Amino acid sequence: MSTTYTLDTATSRANPTPAPMKRLTVPAIQQRKAGGVTAKPVVMLTAYTARMAQLLDPHCDMLLVGDSLGQVIYGLPSTVPVTLEMMCAHGAAVVRGSYHSVVIIDMPFGSYEASPEQAFASAARILKETGAAGVKLEGGAAMAPTVRFLTERGIPVVGHVGLTPQAINALGSYGARGRSQAEADKIVGDAVALDTAGAFAVVIEGVVEPIAIAATKAVSCVTIGIGASAQCDGQVLVAEDMLGLFERTARFVKRYENVAETIEGAVKAYAADVTSRAFPGPDQIYVPEG
Ligand code: KIV
């Protein structure tokens, strides 16, 4: 049995600390969109660690343990090398660090494409080892039978269409998708296929805006935009991108902070203190008693 679950106010007989909020559920996210309208857009960010989850959780509806952790945390060249073990370890940390948001975990490349049965085995492992509420997988209509297989067996699924980074070797670049009418029609069709198959949300990444608007109107589930449109039913960004941890980000990222500059400033001050013997100072040393 997994030891990675955390206490949850919805189900626990104990009071978890810190005093938590009630965790949102997948049906609560689904209910945000009624009659094709989402009055309160869904707030989603990526999180890969327990501490970051603690900081983001009170302000988000959903936390995504994205396979973007391959690049952001591990310095890998793409998401392709990310493993199920990595996703489970980081997923469990994010569940432990959160009490409010619906936690969704990316299924890594190679863990679900071969068959619905392979996808079920991988998704079941993710849910058992992390305590997350659902999984996300990339791909459109071709993945619809897999999405149906999972959802009919009790696994909530988020789809991902448009720019699908796990397909970088086939796509050739991370540029925006849907510039031809044929590709635009395909992306909207992909979103509809996933919705029909039972996905409770679909991430629409890196598409020209009219596609995101058309897909959002065409599906009954919530659409989560990233490089898509403010008309989507919610938005997601990689937290480290919006916090300004990296010099290079995609056009669609809005930087709300410059954390890299803050860290560099602090480390420079620390290095100066160490070399001048100003650190540790009187407040940071232990003195003999009496
Ligand atoms: O891996 C990830 O972080 C993602 C989001 C960017 C949607 O899939």
Side-chain angles (χ1 to χ4, degrees):
M1 184 170 146
S2 170
T3 54
T4 55
Y5 288 107
T6 188
L7 291 170
D8 185 322
T9 38
T11 56
S12 174
R13 285 180 164 79
N15 285 327
T17 53
M21 309 173 201
K22 193 173 179 335
R23 198 184 280 280
L24 286 170
T25 61
V26 166
I29 299 295
Q30 285 173 304
Q31 284 155 20
R32 284 283 181 90
K33 188 166 181 175
V37 179
T38 303
K40 189 172 172 231
V42 175
V43 180
M44 188 180 200
L45 281 171
T46 61
Y48 317 120
T49 63
R51 180 58 183 148
M52 193 62 108
Q54 286 172 333
L55 295 171
L56 307 180
D57 185 47
H59 312 287
C60 288
D61 301 307
M62 295 209 275
L63 292 176
L64 172 66
V65 186
D67 61 352
S68 51
L69 63 77
Q71 286 140 309
V72 175
I73 302 281
Y74 290 94
L76 292 167
S78 74
T79 56
V80 172
V82 172
T83 65
L84 211 43
E85 286 69 26
M86 289 155 87
M87 297 311 300
C88 286
H90 287 274
V94 168
V95 170
R96 278 195 292 273
S98 62
Y99 289 96
H100 168 66
S101 306
V102 173
V103 178
I104 299 297
I105 311 224
D106 255 340
M107 299 188 72
F109 178 69
S111 73
Y112 63 93
E113 301 90 331
S115 66
E117 288 79 6
Q118 183 209 22
F120 183 82
S122 299
R125 177 176 169 194
I126 288 173
L127 297 196
K128 279 174 184 285
E129 292 191 14
T130 66
V135 296
K136 176 166 85 58
L137 54 80
E138 294 185 10
M143 281 298 134
T146 296
V147 170
R148 185 175 299 285
F149 194 87
L150 296 183
T151 54
E152 283 179 347
R153 285 159 180 77
I155 298 183
V157 179
V158 177
H160 186 152
V161 301
L163 172 61
T164 48
Q166 290 177 9
I168 185 60
N169 289 315
L171 298 176
S173 85
Y174 292 107
R177 316 305 301 173
R179 294 205 184 272
S180 73
Q181 191 56 49
E183 200 179 34
D185 293 345
K186 161 103 176 65
I187 294 168
V188 176
D190 281 344
V192 170
L194 297 174
D195 181 43
T196 308
F200 80 92
V202 176
V203 167
I204 304 177
E205 177 167 359
V207 298
V208 293
E209 192 187 29
I211 296 175
I213 295 173
T216 299
K217 285 193 181 134
V219 300
S220 61
C221 69
V222 294
T223 60
I224 311 286
I226 172 164
S229 170
Q231 300 310 311
C232 288
D233 302 304
Q235 301 294 326
V236 62
L237 281 176
V238 169
E240 284 77 357
D241 284 343
M242 57 81 78
L243 290 171
L245 200 65
F246 299 106
E247 292 89 356
R248 290 169 53 204
T249 51
R251 169 192 159 83
F252 57 72
V253 173
K254 180 172 175 184
R255 275 210 185 96
Y256 289 83
E257 256 305 335
N258 193 337
V259 166
E261 208 172 87
T262 305
I263 292 173
E264 278 173 353
V267 175
K268 201 170 151 196
Y270 168 75
D273 277 2
V274 170
T275 51
S276 68
R277 299 192 191 280
F279 173 83
D283 290 345
Q284 291 99 30
I285 56 171
Y286 298 100
V287 292
E289 305 216 338

